[in-house]
Structure formats: C-alpha cells, structure tokens
Amino acid sequence: LATGIPAAVTTGLVNPSGLALNAAGTIGYVTESSSGFQSISAVDLATGVITPIFSGIEDVISFNDGLELSPRPPVVLSAPVAAPGLPSTSIVVPVNVDDVTGLGILSADFAVEFNPAVLVPGASVASATGTLTGGCTVTDNSTIPGRVVISVFCSADLAGSGSIAEIFFNVVGIRGEGSPLELTSVLLNEGAPGVCGSNGSFVVPVDIGGRVVYYRDPGPPAAFEPSAKPVDAASVGLERLDFDPMFGPTWTPIGATATDCSGDYGLTSLTPILTYGITPSKAADYEGAVDPFDAALNAQHVVGLITLTANQSLAADVTGNGTLTSFDSAHIAQFSVGSITQFPVAAANGSDWSFVPAPQVEPNQSVTPPDPAAALQGRIDYTPIVESAENQDFHAILYGDVSGNWFGVCGVARSTPHALEGISDGPAPQRGTAGRGKPGQGAVASLPFLRAAPGEVIRVPVRVKGAAEAIAFLFDLRYDPAVLELLGAERGGEAAAFQVEANTGEPGRARLALFSPSALGGDGEIVVLRFRVVGSPRSRTALTLVTSRANEGRIPLAVREGRVIVTRGSPRR
C-alpha cells in the first residue's frame, strides 16, 4: 500500500469477495469461505497471517459481496460484576478499559457511586493507579458518602487494555447484601474518543450449610424418626440456574462438598441474587444394615400386619416403582446374601441412598421431596438466594434398610455392597453370638456332626431352638470345598412359611436368608443343605456359621458348630 504496487499477500483464502481495511491500513478484513460457509477473516498485510474472526452458519447468515468497517465504537470503562468481599475485610475494585492502543488517551475523569451502608472507601487512601497507569497520577475525592470522584492524567498515551485505577473499600455490610458500582460523569481526554460506562456490582457472598442424619433408629415409628446418627461421606451437589441462548434456563453443576464425620456440610462463597439448588447422593456404605429382617418387615406391611412410615416405605421400595410388594422383599433378601449388589432403584436414581429435605425455612426456598419412581432425588432450591442459608438439613435413607439399624463407622474403610463380608455384619450390639452354645442360654443355631463315605449325598440341617418370635434369619456357612460339594438349599420343615434366598456360587460358602411375615413359632429345622462328599477317607471339615442373626440380632443366637468326617466304604444312597 505504501508504494502502490500490487503484490500477493496470501493465497490461503477460499472465494474471497468483500474487503475492508482498518484505519491504519495494516489489516485487511475479507469475506471468504475457508470454513465451508461465508466467514470473515483478518489478514495481516505485512506477514500474510490469517486470523478467523467469524464463522458463518449455513442458511442462517449470508454476506453481500461488499464489506464495510463502521467507526470504532466508544471505549468501554467498566466496573467488575459481582466483585466479592467478606464482612469486616478490605477489597480492591479495579476500573477497567478495553483496548485503547493508538487512541491518544492521556486522561480519564469519572465517579463511582455505591451503597455506603455496604462499602466505605479506605480510610488512608481511596484509590491508586492501575495496570495501565503505572507512571500516571491519580487523585480522588471520597468526602461525599456513597461517591468517589477520580481523576487520572498521564504524560504518555495509554496502550492496551486493563485497569486505569483501583479503589480501596472496607466491607461494612453483612452476608447477602450488595451494592451497585455505578460509573457516572465518565470522560476520556476532553471528550474524544467517545466512552461509555459499564456499571458493576459488589456482593457479600453467602453460604449454604446443614447436617445430614440417618432417618431412623430401630423401634416403634413415632419416637425414632429421625435419628441422631450422622451420615458422613454424602456428596451434596451444587447447581446454578443459568440461561442458555439455545435451551433457555438450564441447571449447571458447579461443585459439590462431602459431609464430615458429624454429618455436617458447607458450601461457601456463593454469589447472592442467583438461583442455586442442592442435591445429596451417596454410594454403598451399607454396614450390614440390609438384612432378611428388612424383607420380613416389608412383607408384614404388604399383608397389613404392620404399617411402615413414609420414610420406611422409601427404604423398602427397592424396585423404585412407587409401590410396595413382595417383589421388593425378594430383592432385599437377594441383596442381603449378595445375589445382587445394587437395587434397581439405586441404579435408576444414581444413588444407593435417598435424602428427604428437612431444612430451616429461608427466603425464596423451595423443597422437592424424593420421588424414586420419577428418578427424582430430594433437593432444596433458592430462587434466588438472598442470604446465607443455615440448617439446611436432610434425613438420609439407605435403600433396603427398612428397620433403620444402619450405623456409620466414620474413618473406617467402607464395607462391600452386601451384608455378609468384612465389617458389614453391623455394629457390635446387633451381631450374632459366635461359639458353641450351651443349654439354657437362649436361642441356639446348631449344625450336626456327620460321618459319610466318598460320593455320598448328605443332608445338613440348620436347627434353631428358642427363636419362636423370629421372622428373619441370616446365615453365612463356611466349609471345606475339598471335602464337600454343595448341591442346593431349601427351607426346613419348621420354616415352611418362610421364603429362602441362597447364594451358593462361592465354593466353601453358603449365604442364606430366610424371612416371613409370620414368626417361626417353634423349634426345629429351618433350612437344609444338600452336599456331595468329595473328600477322601479320613478327611474332614468343620461346618461353621461365621454369621448367624435372627431379626437383625434382636434375638441373640448362640452357635453350635458341626462337622463332617469322611469314612471308608461305599456311599449310602
């Protein structure tokens, strides 16, 4: 351009048409089709470097062949939006400009107006130079409450974008309060170039906090809900309601926090006058709470012998269809022995737990109870939040724990997903009593002493005495798979009304759940296992119940272990 001699700058454009130059004649703006659609690219006329500026959208935007550049828009002088600060602290509020390179700006005069009940200018100095004005002079007047007037002048033109001044404030407001940061009387040089002020705001952040406790202790309905047992390691997710240009109002996940060993959680430094929602969730952590006894309680409810509370009904609805049937009891029994490792309702809702909101009332608060059938977790929304929300509590419900006997062990490695492994037998007061039982010591579960020849099929009953009131049993039987091969398990004669769920898939182990709406009523065989003797003569195995529970341990069971000794001779048929 300087010589007037045409020369190729670039061949990297596709179908270039309209052309316009910047004021300095150094950049050419071209309509072209490198993206596949009509677009605008900037070409550096000295180097030929192409920078895409805008990519068009097919059938939505089209350009005529011509291209013009309008006069440069006014310089924007802006205060920050939602500048945060805590009560009784000091903050720095920058006043920013966009790119002013080549505009010959030497001075700026403006005022910032604010709420003096929330912000007070710093006592010693109200303002200082910014990132663009290090060699300039800044003068301020903060004698009028709610207003600071600032003058900036320099000896060299400003260049680039950044702050031209910084204002010091002391925060005297409380959480949830805010203040406008309104720019008035804005002037650059003596009116040229043009300038427009973009107002900002200041907010004192708010917090959301509360506690998660377990929904129930075992016992009669009225006196035991909720419990005082804290629920740790629950994730409390935070969402903010944003506006998406294409989809409209949209909930955006912006973080989460976990409850501590006291069940407490806190979400801090949130911007007020925005809309937030919180939703807890939790995985696993069963701690032996899901037991055949829970299946029996649901079965009693289904036939009308007892009435579960609303929260117990949530715990019992493990299929998640909104109704309670014996199908739920079957799933609970399967889970208690490890035949399944997750309930259908947990898979559908993305959480092994349900959470019922129980918050202190706050402004603009709305509460959504859990609805597993609709795949909805319990949540609390603030539309919008205007102050810190305290005591935003939840009652946690472990799916399958109808009795409410879950008891957390914060700080201990978590249990596996069903009741009969690791520490998952539950808290000590509710565990079965191991060891050899003695007459007169209450309920006893016993296994026989047998002799059998190789190849013989034997019948091994589990007999119970003194547990006539039991409606549920949970057993974990261990044996040597080199001696015995388990063929199957079935209910015994005394437990003819009981449902039996057996997990026999692991060699050397049989996990057994029995439950019924009606109590056992007497003594005798409650479950019978059939084994084939596979050991060689003189081999032997103990028959050991490492777990033995009746009614979740409410009926203590002593255990008499059994034994099988392999003899010589032909098997008996």
Side-chain angles (χ1 to χ4, degrees):
L1 293 180
T3 64
I5 300 174
V9 174
T10 180
T11 58
L13 301 173
V14 177
N15 297 326
S17 51
L19 171 67
L21 301 179
N22 67 351
T26 58
I27 301 292
Y29 295 93
V30 184
T31 51
E32 50 95 21
S33 304
S34 294
S35 65
F37 311 117
Q38 277 194 302
S39 305
I40 300 175
S41 292
V43 181
D44 187 317
L45 300 183
T47 64
V49 172
I50 302 172
T51 303
I53 300 299
F54 174 81
S55 294
I57 303 174
E58 187 176 19
D59 297 329
V60 177
I61 297 175
S62 62
F63 302 106
N64 295 322
D65 287 341
L67 183 65
E68 292 186 14
L69 295 180
S70 66
R72 189 194 191 284
V75 175
V76 177
L77 194 71
S78 62
V81 176
L86 297 176
S88 302
T89 63
S90 298
I91 64 167
V92 178
V93 174
V95 178
N96 300 310
V97 293
D98 55 2
D99 191 357
V100 294
T101 302
L103 300 182
I105 295 176
L106 293 171
S107 67
D109 298 286
F110 59 91
V112 178
E113 297 183 356
F114 50 89
N115 183 352
V118 177
L119 295 173
V120 174
S124 58
V125 59
S127 62
T129 56
T131 58
L132 299 187
T133 54
C136 304
T137 300
V138 177
T139 307
D140 64 70
N141 178 3
S142 58
T143 59
I144 301 174
R147 179 180 173 90
V148 173
V149 180
I150 295 178
S151 170
V152 181
F153 66 89
C154 311
S155 58
D157 294 350
L158 299 181
S161 60
S163 61
I164 62 171
E166 294 180 341
I167 309 174
F168 303 108
F169 287 107
N170 295 323
V171 181
V172 296
I174 61 175
R175 286 190 180 273
E177 290 187 330
S179 170
L181 297 173
E182 186 175 354
L183 289 164
T184 61
S185 308
V186 178
L187 187 68
L188 295 179
N189 294 345
E190 292 185 337
V195 61
C196 91
S198 177
N199 297 329
S201 61
F202 166 80
V203 294
V204 182
V206 297
D207 300 337
I208 299 174
R211 191 165 187 253
V212 179
V213 298
Y214 202 57
Y215 85 101
R216 180 177 177 82
D217 278 317
F224 290 84
E225 289 192 19
S227 78
K229 296 179 288 191
V231 176
D232 72 301
S235 175
V236 182
L238 177 69
E239 295 179 301
R240 183 182 63 225
L241 188 63
D242 296 326
F243 184 83
D244 186 285
M246 183 172 294
F247 300 104
T250 303
W251 285 104
T252 303
I254 59 172
T257 190
T259 55
D260 61 18
C261 281
S262 299
D264 295 324
Y265 73 91
L267 296 158
T268 61
S269 300
L270 307 180
T271 302
I273 323 299
L274 295 179
T275 294
Y276 294 98
I278 56 173
T279 307
S281 63
K282 184 173 169 68
D285 194 13
Y286 300 97
E287 301 307 329
V290 181
D291 183 278
F293 185 67
D294 299 298
L297 291 177
N298 180 67
Q300 288 183 324
H301 173 85
V302 168
V303 300
L305 295 176
I306 63 173
T307 300
L308 300 180
T309 67
N311 287 336
Q312 284 183 297
S313 296
L314 271 174
D317 185 16
V318 295
T319 61
N321 68 342
T323 60
L324 297 182
T325 70
S326 57
F327 196 47
D328 295 293
S329 291
H331 277 79
I332 294 172
Q334 288 179 325
F335 186 91
S336 70
V337 295
S339 297
I340 60 174
T341 58
Q342 189 176 45
F343 292 121
V345 65
N349 286 269
S351 174
D352 295 306
W353 298 61
S354 185
F355 295 85
V356 178
Q360 173 182 292
V361 176
E362 296 287 350
N364 305 324
Q365 176 196 76
S366 63
V367 174
T368 301
D371 184 359
L376 293 177
Q377 279 281 29
R379 62 180 288 139
I380 307 172
D381 295 324
Y382 310 89
T383 55
I385 194 166
V386 295
E387 63 184 32
S388 288
E390 301 171 344
N391 302 317
Q392 302 300 286
D393 298 342
F394 290 87
H395 298 159
I397 300 171
L398 174 63
Y399 288 125
D401 182 17
V402 183
S403 69
N405 73 317
W406 179 87
F407 197 93
V409 284
C410 189
V412 178
R414 294 304 178 189
S415 67
T416 50
H418 46 79
L420 294 178
E421 295 188 10
I423 60 172
S424 58
D425 279 342
Q430 296 178 348
R431 292 178 183 163
T433 302
R436 190 175 297 276
K438 297 181 180 179
Q441 287 191 336
V444 178
S446 61
L447 290 160
F449 281 73
L450 300 173
R451 295 177 181 271
E456 185 175 345
V457 175
I458 61 174
R459 183 177 181 272
V460 176
V462 178
R463 295 184 174 90
V464 171
K465 181 179 180 181
E469 299 303 314
I471 60 173
F473 295 91
L474 183 63
F475 297 119
D476 189 359
L477 173 67
R478 306 296 175 93
Y479 59 93
D480 186 348
V483 177
L484 297 177
E485 177 188 8
L486 180 60
L487 302 178
E490 58 190 31
R491 68 174 65 89
E494 190 61 35
F498 277 61
Q499 176 71 35
V500 176
E501 178 65 34
N503 182 354
T504 60
E506 182 180 342
R509 184 180 193 186
R511 290 175 276 181
L512 307 167
L514 295 88
F515 68 93
S516 172
S518 302
L520 184 64
D523 301 335
E525 296 180 356
I526 63 169
V527 64
V528 177
L529 299 100
R530 290 184 302 110
F531 290 95
R532 177 180 288 112
V533 179
V534 296
S536 58
R538 301 181 65 180
S539 62
R540 64 183 60 197
T541 179
L543 301 173
T544 304
L545 291 173
V546 298
T547 296
S548 178
R549 293 210 305 241
N551 289 7
E552 284 187 336
R554 292 166 178 79
I555 301 175
L557 278 179
V559 174
R560 291 177 180 171
E561 295 183 351
R563 183 169 299 170
V564 175
I565 300 175
V566 183
T567 63
R568 296 182 182 275
S570 301
R572 291 173 292 175
R573 300 296 183 186

